Amino acid sequence: MTATAEPAKVRGETILAVDQLVKHFPISQGVLFKKTIGQVKAVDGVSFELRRGETLGVVGESGCGKSTLARLLMRLETPTAGRVTLEGRDLLRATGADLRRLRRNMQMVMQDPYTSLNPRMTVGDIIGEPFEIHPEVAPKRSRRQRVQELLDVVGLNPEHLNRYPHQFSGGQRQRIGIARALALRPEIIVCDEPVSALDVSIQAQVINLLEQLQDELGLSYIFIAHDLSVVRHISDRVAVMYLGRIVEIGTEEQIYQRATHPYTQALLSAVPVPDPEARDRRTIIRLTGDVPSPAEPPSGCHFRTRCWKAEEVCATQDPLAVPRAADPHPSACHFAEVRTEV
């Protein structure tokens, strides 16, 4: 009997699909008899697709829901509503052995390399811990060799597997976190601000390592960050989040050269420019007012209270993230247009 061949994995095909993902955290009042008095809408109807072999950058201000989105994708938080499909399988409804198999395929690199590694465990134990949870990946007799190989892959000395995290620098610790994420041979890695706690020179080394691993292993990344320059360097496509929603999504060129949403344009106008002449020519968009509370978001368009284009329709109709006449990439704005002044 002839074995059925595994379907070929085609670069560019959809590997992860997120449809109307929602996470609302209840606001409770009282000590003995708690009563729910409201909800924090941390993630409020997020939809996107991740393609095989690509990097999707996710940007936005602090508190916009980026990290909550990452935790939902990893099943570290239970969503309020929505659907996440990983290679055609429902990730949110999987349980038991099915969930363990799906989790092998998607791993995470945390933001802070100083707190994401157990200080009481050696590097060898940290990187080898996934093999204890998924023993089918590597037999016990070969785990030490596998850990050494992973250390070598991320540019660390394989002989240092008996050292502890405090004996490494911040950049080296993040490499250890990357090695741990690679242990189960995943196809997707969720990077939750993986370089924000590192010096600029070290950031470049870690980004270059991630790009090298992507080329060699065919990985797909969801790269969450607030540094627009870093996101532009590593991303194929970029999603811009505001108050729990994606307000614009497109290729790196579409977002950075032809952004149509006012919030995206404001973010880009604040990016530091090294060329003094270019810096003098451009106009910085200064947003007025504070970011609204996710517990009480504005009606209609969530950005309207800070937007210079806002009109009455913005308060009554919630704009959908759909392609606009200004440029054929989705933008959630009634008055989306490309900003001509750079």
Side-chain angles (χ1 to χ4, degrees):
M1 183 176 180
T2 305
T4 302
E6 184 178 340
K9 296 177 179 179
V10 181
R11 182 181 176 87
E13 67 180 359
T14 299
I15 186 173
L16 181 74
V18 178
D19 183 29
Q20 291 298 310
L21 192 60
V22 174
K23 179 59 180 179
H24 294 172
F25 293 97
I27 303 173
S28 300
Q29 188 178 62
V31 179
L32 294 178
F33 303 99
K34 290 188 176 183
K35 181 175 69 172
T36 300
I37 60 172
Q39 293 180 323
V40 174
K41 299 178 179 180
V43 174
D44 196 24
V46 167
S47 300
F48 64 87
E49 292 183 351
L50 177 69
R51 298 161 189 162
R52 193 181 301 278
E54 82 163 347
T55 298
L56 175 66
V58 181
V59 300
E61 294 171 291
S62 297
C64 71
K66 303 187 300 295
S67 292
T68 302
L69 173 61
R71 294 178 64 83
L72 289 171
L73 296 178
M74 296 302 301
R75 285 285 300 265
L76 299 176
E77 295 282 358
T78 302
T80 305
R83 182 181 177 87
V84 178
T85 306
L86 176 59
E87 292 191 312
R89 292 172 290 181
D90 194 334
L91 179 64
L92 301 184
R93 289 169 177 78
T95 58
D98 288 338
L99 178 58
R100 288 179 66 246
R101 281 192 292 270
L102 289 174
R103 275 182 162 162
R104 272 184 51 186
N105 226 14
M106 188 159 62
Q107 294 294 300
M108 189 172 186
V109 176
M110 304 290 187
Q111 176 179 358
D112 189 354
Y114 295 92
T115 59
S116 61
L117 305 179
N118 190 331
R120 298 178 181 272
M121 295 174 65
T122 66
V123 168
D125 289 337
I126 290 171
I127 298 175
E129 188 174 24
F131 302 140
E132 299 292 333
I133 302 170
H134 300 271
E136 70 279 6
V137 176
K140 281 191 175 181
R141 62 181 180 276
S142 64
R143 288 178 189 173
R144 180 182 177 88
Q145 179 183 352
R146 176 66 179 146
V147 168
Q148 289 179 317
E149 290 173 354
L150 288 166
L151 284 170
D152 183 57
V153 164
V154 298
L156 296 177
N157 190 334
E159 302 304 319
H160 291 169
L161 77 169
N162 291 321
R163 293 189 177 185
Y164 288 85
H166 74 270
Q167 296 175 284
F168 294 86
S169 67
Q172 289 174 324
R173 292 186 199 186
Q174 198 60 293
R175 289 173 183 264
I176 294 168
I178 294 171
R180 177 177 58 187
L182 292 173
L184 299 178
R185 300 183 178 93
E187 295 190 79
I188 300 173
I189 295 183
V190 179
C191 303
D192 185 12
E193 304 212 29
V195 297
S196 62
L198 305 177
D199 294 337
V200 175
S201 60
I202 306 302
Q203 287 184 10
Q205 294 176 19
V206 173
I207 293 297
N208 290 338
L209 172 63
L210 289 171
E211 290 183 320
Q212 176 188 336
L213 293 171
Q214 185 174 47
D215 291 339
E216 294 176 355
L217 304 175
L219 297 168
S220 303
Y221 293 139
I222 294 177
F223 191 91
I224 296 170
H226 60 265
D227 189 326
L228 292 169
S229 299
V230 171
V231 171
R232 184 173 193 176
H233 178 79
I234 195 173
S235 299
D236 299 300
R237 291 189 302 133
V238 179
V240 182
M241 286 191 70
Y242 182 80
L243 217 61
R245 297 179 175 180
I246 291 179
V247 296
E248 188 166 7
I249 186 169
T251 64
E252 175 268 331
E253 181 184 0
Q254 287 171 332
I255 296 299
Y256 284 85
Q257 299 296 330
R258 303 193 302 277
T260 62
H261 196 283
Y263 177 64
T264 308
Q265 294 169 352
L267 287 181
L268 293 173
S269 77
V271 175
V273 177
D275 183 357
E277 293 184 2
R279 186 168 61 242
D280 292 339
R281 287 196 304 268
R282 75 173 183 169
T283 301
I284 297 178
I285 301 173
R286 291 180 171 85
L287 299 177
T288 59
D290 297 325
V291 180
S293 168
E296 296 180 357
S299 62
C301 175
H302 285 4
F303 184 61
R304 68 177 176 81
T305 57
R306 304 172 73 194
C307 183
W308 64 95
K309 294 183 177 182
E311 296 186 13
E312 185 177 348
V313 66
C314 303
T316 58
Q317 296 183 21
D318 186 7
L320 299 176
V322 297
R324 304 290 173 174
D327 200 84
H329 66 275
S331 178
C333 177
H334 294 299
F335 306 103
E337 61 180 353
V338 178
R339 186 176 178 224
T340 55
E341 185 177 16
V342 179

